[in-house]
Amino acid sequence: MPHDLPRPPDGAPRTIALRAAGTALVLGVPDTGLPYVLHWGADLPEIDGLAATAVPTVPHNRIDEPLPFSLLPGQGEGWAGHPGLSGDRDGRASHPRWRVEEVVVDPLPDTPVGGRLTFTAVAEAAGLELRGELRVEADGLVRIRHEVTNTGEGVWSPAALHVFLPLPREAGEVLDLTGRWCRERSPQRREFAQGTLMRAARRGRTGHDATLFLVAGTPGFGFRRGEVWGVHVAWSGDHVHLAERLPEGAGQADAALGGGELLHPGEARLGPGESHRTPWVCFSWSDEGLDGMSARVHRWLRARPHHPSSPRPVVLNTWEAVYFDHDLDALKRLADTAARIGVERFVLDDGWFRGRRDDTAGLGDWTVDPGVWPEGLHPLFDHVRSLGMQVGLWVEPEMVNPDSDLFRAHPEWVLGPADHPPRSSRHQQVLDLGRPEVAAHLLERLDALVTEYRPHHLKWDHNRDLLEAVHGPTGGAGVHRQTTAVHDLLRRLRARHPGLEIESCSSGGGRVDLSVLEHTDRVWASDVNDPLERLSIQRWTGLLLPPELVGGHVGGPVSHTTGRVTDLTTRCLTALIGHPGIEWDITGCTEAELGALTRWIALYRELRPLLHSGDPVHADDPDPAEQLDGVVARDGTEAVYRYARPTSSVRTHPGRVRLPGLHPGRRYRLRWRQDVGRPTATQHSPPEWFVKGESIVSGHVLTRVGVHLPNLDPGQVLLLHLTSA
């Protein structure tokens, strides 16, 4: 649809409505200036009068005419908040006045809903051209990106290029996430007051403290209640998320939500004809709380042609089983035990390459250590394959230890200033992948490894922040160049090995975003396997990602990172709702423990089709001492819920716990699954239905009234399984 849309008879601006899955994005297209959003939220079957009633009051001591908050807001339209675009040409600031040349609306392929809008605008005096792209995906996820091109003389340097959507005044609270190593995804909530909430990441990676989603919502919103608007910047480098409310509002709206890449001084310098483009910025709206917001993202991810389609295999990772103590016979025994209980993928973690006896040496030298592996990795990998399991291998290509042959040969390959090295972290430095020779070297080494050993899976680690990230050849800021080079390296390696799966690990959950997931098949949510820590980490990682993309393992009885002792049932059921595995020396397990692990793997295989296709749901737990998470089939025929008691409660018993997401009109057979073991509880007797082991209950009762559950001891978990009766 071209830009010259028919003008409504009342003189209002031309409008475009993109609709999908109960949501709508309605845009106004003025004669001058950029398109702007009239509405983002619930679908509007009729939009008559929307544009005419969107013109705001002109208050005293403000600009003298009402101007809309556009798709690239700036001071030229009276917006005094963070600009969509800022930059300079030889020190002269840019405040472009845009003229739209074209607006095109196209349907999405293979779906009757949603749509794609692109627009092109020019600012002749500023010497700039702007191209914007908006997509409303089939399940209502909105994705936007902008590209600016220097059409003038000399160098134009963008300082910021951000994507925004407007918010209504009903958005009264803000939720974001923070965290640290082994404590990722910790929620924090605050009033959406006047001013700016900016979450800026300057770590050169997404970060353990990344917000994933910055969410604005009606006061008191939760997983199952309230209207929410969320934004995620799909970028693995430095980035910002913004929620901004000014006293004068935002044109036709009340506030703004947005974000984009964080550019360092001089990082983007555009010569004539050169362009800079934002990453995709993803927006999700729901009037059914956070679960509804997340469902739009999950369904979009699952519809991608490259989304993992094969059943997610049960993993055994060797790290917490053997650490750096690699011994062929011991690892063969570990593989034998893994195969016996039903493990499907055996991953050899850190310690296999030259000089790697601890974490102070060897990174960068990606050849097998002949002192430990005189015949290479073939004896182990051949043995693993003979047992019917896939093979995986740990690598950390972006880093280098100063104690390595690579560093001694090429100290100039480090990402950092010319006059001094950056501070070391984890005894390592970062390789400058912006140098073509560095990226080519890593591709050659990784290609050789994958070609020789044919792993199904690479666990790709990235164990430190990027500090003083200076690109050596130019002396310029290097985070953007590094991020695009890493993505390109992943893409090129997978192009050479199309069946290879890659996991994004970054000292746990330090690189979790939708851009790295364009090149990888799962993320490692956290380096902590303590199940009571993991309950919260996995719940909030699910704000962005569906379970099949989130790795979680059963560790040993004593947590490697917290020292906490937990029982096997809790560890197994915590890892179940995700892409599960084991990280434990199971050769020392008792027969009872091996039996429980065998039954757990069988249970996962039984439930895997549901867990990795259904909609995740979470209860708004009235008791902070409990947590209920589940997955419900899209057609409502089956569901699984994990009920956990992380700590003790002031209540003597839980009372009736509601099970969210079920179809009210269905009848369900409610069972508690004892496959892995029975949780302990302090009570005179459990609920009557629990003694029987099952009951037939209507969806109305389960969702609106609930079911009595046992008074679990702290640290205990149970699993409920519902099927149509």
Side-chain angles (χ1 to χ4, degrees), residues 457 467 577 649:
H457 165 91
L467 303 175
I577 301 181
S649 174

Side-chain angles (χ1 to χ4, degrees), residues 371-383:
V372 180
W373 300 95
E375 299 178 69
L377 302 177
H378 294 293
L380 175 63
F381 284 5
D382 290 347
H383 183 73

Side-chain angles (χ1 to χ4, degrees), residues 128-179:
L128 298 174
E129 179 182 275
L130 176 69
R131 177 179 170 83
E133 180 178 1
L134 296 80
R135 292 176 61 97
V136 177
E137 304 292 350
D139 285 295
L141 179 69
V142 178
R143 299 196 299 140
I144 306 176
R145 64 182 177 183
H146 297 318
E147 183 176 66
V148 63
T149 301
N150 178 15
T151 59
E153 297 180 357
V155 173
W156 185 78
S157 300
L161 182 57
H162 295 155
V163 176
F164 288 95
L165 284 183
L167 292 174
R169 64 180 186 173
E170 285 77 11
E173 285 186 354
V174 181
L175 170 75
D176 62 337
L177 307 178
T178 185

